[in-house]
PDB file of all heavy atoms in Angstrom:
ATOM      1  N   TYR B  16     108.927 107.931  82.401  1.00  0.00           N
ATOM      2  CA  TYR B  16     110.001 107.314  83.160  1.00  0.00           C
ATOM      3  C   TYR B  16     111.096 106.997  82.152  1.00  0.00           C
ATOM      4  O   TYR B  16     110.949 106.073  81.365  1.00  0.00           O
ATOM      5  CB  TYR B  16     109.522 106.048  83.852  1.00  0.00           C
ATOM      6  CG  TYR B  16     108.558 106.336  84.971  1.00  0.00           C
ATOM      7  CD1 TYR B  16     107.198 106.167  84.795  1.00  0.00           C
ATOM      8  CD2 TYR B  16     109.025 106.813  86.198  1.00  0.00           C
ATOM      9  CE1 TYR B  16     106.305 106.444  85.813  1.00  0.00           C
ATOM     10  CE2 TYR B  16     108.148 107.093  87.218  1.00  0.00           C
ATOM     11  CZ  TYR B  16     106.794 106.909  87.025  1.00  0.00           C
ATOM     12  OH  TYR B  16     105.931 107.186  88.048  1.00  0.00           O
ATOM     13  N   ASN B  41      95.069  97.888  81.209  1.00  0.00           N
ATOM     14  CA  ASN B  41      96.274  97.916  82.053  1.00  0.00           C
ATOM     15  C   ASN B  41      97.367  98.696  81.354  1.00  0.00           C
ATOM     16  O   ASN B  41      97.571  98.545  80.162  1.00  0.00           O
ATOM     17  CB  ASN B  41      96.783  96.489  82.263  1.00  0.00           C
ATOM     18  CG  ASN B  41      96.106  95.841  83.447  1.00  0.00           C
ATOM     19  OD1 ASN B  41      95.705  96.542  84.374  1.00  0.00           O
ATOM     20  ND2 ASN B  41      95.965  94.535  83.418  1.00  0.00           N
ATOM     21  N   GLU B  73      99.842 123.801  96.497  1.00  0.00           N
ATOM     22  CA  GLU B  73      99.012 123.712  97.703  1.00  0.00           C
ATOM     23  C   GLU B  73      98.776 122.251  98.065  1.00  0.00           C
ATOM     24  O   GLU B  73      97.649 121.831  98.322  1.00  0.00           O
ATOM     25  CB  GLU B  73      97.685 124.446  97.462  1.00  0.00           C
ATOM     26  CG  GLU B  73      97.876 125.921  97.190  1.00  0.00           C
ATOM     27  CD  GLU B  73      96.634 126.555  96.584  1.00  0.00           C
ATOM     28  OE1 GLU B  73      96.189 126.124  95.513  1.00  0.00           O
ATOM     29  OE2 GLU B  73      96.102 127.486  97.206  1.00  0.00           O
ATOM     30  N   ARG B  75      99.429 120.498 100.650  1.00  0.00           N
ATOM     31  CA  ARG B  75      98.847 120.201 101.959  1.00  0.00           C
ATOM     32  C   ARG B  75      97.321 120.343 101.953  1.00  0.00           C
ATOM     33  O   ARG B  75      96.603 119.484 102.460  1.00  0.00           O
ATOM     34  CB  ARG B  75      99.469 121.144 103.002  1.00  0.00           C
ATOM     35  CG  ARG B  75      98.932 120.946 104.379  1.00  0.00           C
ATOM     36  CD  ARG B  75      99.959 121.304 105.400  1.00  0.00           C
ATOM     37  NE  ARG B  75     101.039 120.325 105.386  1.00  0.00           N
ATOM     38  CZ  ARG B  75     102.016 120.303 106.292  1.00  0.00           C
ATOM     39  NH1 ARG B  75     102.047 121.192 107.249  1.00  0.00           N
ATOM     40  NH2 ARG B  75     102.942 119.393 106.240  1.00  0.00           N
ATOM     41  N   ALA B  89      95.170  99.223 101.609  1.00  0.00           N
ATOM     42  CA  ALA B  89      96.114  99.958 102.443  1.00  0.00           C
ATOM     43  C   ALA B  89      95.710  99.858 103.903  1.00  0.00           C
ATOM     44  O   ALA B  89      95.394 100.841 104.550  1.00  0.00           O
ATOM     45  CB  ALA B  89      96.172 101.404 101.989  1.00  0.00           C
ATOM     46  N   LEU B 106      94.737 109.543 113.005  1.00  0.00           N
ATOM     47  CA  LEU B 106      95.668 110.239 112.119  1.00  0.00           C
ATOM     48  C   LEU B 106      94.973 111.379 111.382  1.00  0.00           C
ATOM     49  O   LEU B 106      95.597 112.371 111.013  1.00  0.00           O
ATOM     50  CB  LEU B 106      96.270 109.263 111.099  1.00  0.00           C
ATOM     51  CG  LEU B 106      97.225 108.226 111.671  1.00  0.00           C
ATOM     52  CD1 LEU B 106      97.650 107.244 110.595  1.00  0.00           C
ATOM     53  CD2 LEU B 106      98.453 108.893 112.276  1.00  0.00           C
ATOM     54  N   SER B 139      88.077  88.293 103.775  1.00  0.00           N
ATOM     55  CA  SER B 139      88.018  87.961 102.348  1.00  0.00           C
ATOM     56  C   SER B 139      88.391  89.196 101.539  1.00  0.00           C
ATOM     57  O   SER B 139      88.450  90.308 102.075  1.00  0.00           O
ATOM     58  CB  SER B 139      86.605  87.531 101.977  1.00  0.00           C
ATOM     59  OG  SER B 139      85.745  88.655 102.008  1.00  0.00           O
ATOM     60  N   ILE B 159      87.041 111.810  96.435  1.00  0.00           N
ATOM     61  CA  ILE B 159      87.593 110.505  96.781  1.00  0.00           C
ATOM     62  C   ILE B 159      88.083 109.810  95.515  1.00  0.00           C
ATOM     63  O   ILE B 159      87.379 109.751  94.517  1.00  0.00           O
ATOM     64  CB  ILE B 159      86.580 109.641  97.566  1.00  0.00           C
ATOM     65  CG1 ILE B 159      87.149 108.260  97.841  1.00  0.00           C
ATOM     66  CG2 ILE B 159      85.247 109.527  96.858  1.00  0.00           C
ATOM     67  CD1 ILE B 159      86.350 107.486  98.854  1.00  0.00           C
ATOM     68  N   SER B 186      76.013 111.756  99.136  1.00  0.00           N
ATOM     69  CA  SER B 186      76.447 112.673 100.184  1.00  0.00           C
ATOM     70  C   SER B 186      77.209 113.878  99.642  1.00  0.00           C
ATOM     71  O   SER B 186      77.826 114.603 100.412  1.00  0.00           O
ATOM     72  CB  SER B 186      77.312 111.908 101.184  1.00  0.00           C
ATOM     73  OG  SER B 186      78.288 111.169 100.501  1.00  0.00           O
ATOM     74  N   GLU B 223      76.305 108.985  75.620  1.00  0.00           N
ATOM     75  CA  GLU B 223      76.901 109.759  74.517  1.00  0.00           C
ATOM     76  C   GLU B 223      77.966 108.952  73.787  1.00  0.00           C
ATOM     77  O   GLU B 223      78.001 108.929  72.563  1.00  0.00           O
ATOM     78  CB  GLU B 223      77.577 111.024  75.060  1.00  0.00           C
ATOM     79  CG  GLU B 223      76.691 112.247  75.147  1.00  0.00           C
ATOM     80  CD  GLU B 223      77.379 113.349  75.948  1.00  0.00           C
ATOM     81  OE1 GLU B 223      78.611 113.268  76.186  1.00  0.00           O
ATOM     82  OE2 GLU B 223      76.676 114.273  76.355  1.00  0.00           O
ATOM     83  N   LEU B 273      67.428 100.118  56.051  1.00  0.00           N
ATOM     84  CA  LEU B 273      68.033 100.725  54.885  1.00  0.00           C
ATOM     85  C   LEU B 273      69.549 100.611  54.914  1.00  0.00           C
ATOM     86  O   LEU B 273      70.189 100.162  53.963  1.00  0.00           O
ATOM     87  CB  LEU B 273      67.620 102.217  54.848  1.00  0.00           C
ATOM     88  CG  LEU B 273      67.964 102.982  53.570  1.00  0.00           C
ATOM     89  CD1 LEU B 273      67.092 102.505  52.417  1.00  0.00           C
ATOM     90  CD2 LEU B 273      67.759 104.483  53.807  1.00  0.00           C
ATOM     91  N   LEU B 279      75.138  95.321  53.505  1.00  0.00           N
ATOM     92  CA  LEU B 279      75.248  93.933  53.040  1.00  0.00           C
ATOM     93  C   LEU B 279      75.520  93.894  51.534  1.00  0.00           C
ATOM     94  O   LEU B 279      76.367  93.133  51.068  1.00  0.00           O
ATOM     95  CB  LEU B 279      73.976  93.155  53.367  1.00  0.00           C
ATOM     96  CG  LEU B 279      73.776  92.793  54.843  1.00  0.00           C
ATOM     97  CD1 LEU B 279      72.400  92.163  55.061  1.00  0.00           C
ATOM     98  CD2 LEU B 279      74.872  91.823  55.288  1.00  0.00           C
ATOM     99  N   VAL B 321      82.316  89.051  71.331  1.00  0.00           N
ATOM    100  CA  VAL B 321      82.740  90.450  71.399  1.00  0.00           C
ATOM    101  C   VAL B 321      81.668  91.330  70.807  1.00  0.00           C
ATOM    102  O   VAL B 321      81.149  91.044  69.767  1.00  0.00           O
ATOM    103  CB  VAL B 321      84.064  90.635  70.631  1.00  0.00           C
ATOM    104  CG1 VAL B 321      84.555  92.072  70.795  1.00  0.00           C
ATOM    105  CG2 VAL B 321      85.099  89.680  71.145  1.00  0.00           C
TER     106      VAL B 321
END
Side-chain angles (χ1 to χ4, degrees):
Chain B
Y16 290 102
N41 273 332
E73 298 164 301
R75 179 151 290 188
L106 291 175
S139 71
I159 177 167
S186 49
E223 270 169 15
L273 190 70
L279 287 173
V321 184

